Amino acid sequence: MGDYTVHIVDDEEAVRKSLAFLLTMAGFTVRVHSSATNFLTAAPGVGKGCLVTDLRMPDMSGVELLHRLRENQTLMPTIVITGHGDVPMAVEAMKAGARDFIEKPFEDEVLFGAIHRAAAELEQQRDGADVQAIQARANTLTERERQVLGGIARGRPNKTIAFDLDISPRTVE
C-alpha cells in the first residue's frame, strides 16, 4: 500500500496484535511497538511512515508522545485511538499534532481512511522535500549556467541557446 510503514504503539499486546493483523491483511506494512518509550528509541531510524498510537498508556500518553516527537523534530502523521475519549482529550491531541482522533470501537474503514490521509500527507512532504532539493541544487549554479538552464526550460535548441548567449554550442550540451 505504498512505501511507508504504519507504526502501532499500544501497551496492550492483544490490541497491537489485532491492529497489526487487520492492517497487514489490508496490505499495509506494519511495525508494532509495546510502549511510547520503545517507539521513541526506534524513531530516529523508522523512515517514512505514520503512527497509530493509543491515547492512554502507562509509561507515556499518546499526547506526550506527540510532544516528544515534536521536540526531537521527528514529524510523522499520527492517528490517536482511544477507548476513553472525550472532546477535551481530542482537542488536546489535535493541538499536539494528531491528524485524526478515533474512538474505539471503530469500523475498519475509519482507520484505513485515516491511514490513507496520513499517506497522502507523507507524499506532500516528499514532494516538498523534492522541490527543496531542486532549489538547493539550482542555487549552486553559476549565472551562466542559470542562463543556459533558462533557455532549456523555454524549450530552445542547444544551438539557439549558444547563439543567444554567444557561447560555443558544445558548452550548452
Side-chain angles (χ1 to χ4, degrees):
M1 290 239 130
D3 59 342
Y4 61 92
T5 300
V6 178
H7 296 273
I8 300 169
V9 178
D10 199 302
D11 60 308
E12 294 181 42
E13 184 178 8
V15 173
R16 282 193 314 272
K17 285 183 174 181
S18 175
L19 286 173
F21 178 76
L22 171 69
L23 295 175
T24 300
M25 295 309 295
F28 294 98
T29 301
V30 177
R31 188 165 168 206
V32 295
H33 307 270
S34 60
S35 70
T37 303
N38 288 349
F39 179 73
L40 281 173
T41 301
V46 296
K48 189 167 112 174
C50 70
L51 175 62
V52 176
T53 184
D54 192 15
L55 180 64
R56 293 186 181 189
M57 296 178 285
D59 70 326
M60 181 185 312
S61 75
V63 171
E64 289 174 286
L65 174 58
L66 283 167
H67 287 299
R68 296 281 297 279
L69 288 170
R70 183 176 287 164
E71 287 170 12
N72 298 340
Q73 298 182 351
T74 305
L75 303 177
M76 181 175 284
T78 302
I79 301 156
V80 174
I81 58 174
T82 185
H84 311 284
D86 57 26
V87 173
M89 282 183 189
V91 169
E92 184 181 4
M94 300 305 267
K95 283 183 177 179
R99 299 300 183 260
D100 274 290
F101 186 90
I102 302 172
E103 288 187 86
K104 298 175 190 173
F106 51 83
E107 297 292 324
D108 298 350
E109 293 303 320
V110 171
L111 182 59
F112 299 159
I115 293 170
H116 287 297
R117 286 188 297 277
E121 183 176 325
L122 288 170
E123 284 303 310
Q124 288 174 345
Q125 288 172 358
R126 183 188 62 81
D127 292 346
D130 290 347
V131 168
Q132 288 177 346
I134 291 167
Q135 287 174 334
R137 290 188 70 195
N139 290 338
T140 66
L141 297 176
T142 66
E143 183 58 34
R144 181 58 89 185
E145 290 169 331
R146 287 178 206 260
Q147 291 169 345
V148 170
L149 180 60
I152 293 169
R154 288 189 294 278
R156 295 205 166 123
N158 292 351
K159 289 182 182 182
T160 303
I161 296 168
F163 179 79
D164 290 346
L165 297 176
D166 196 28
I167 58 178
S168 166
R170 280 190 82 56
T171 306
V172 178
E173 292 174 358

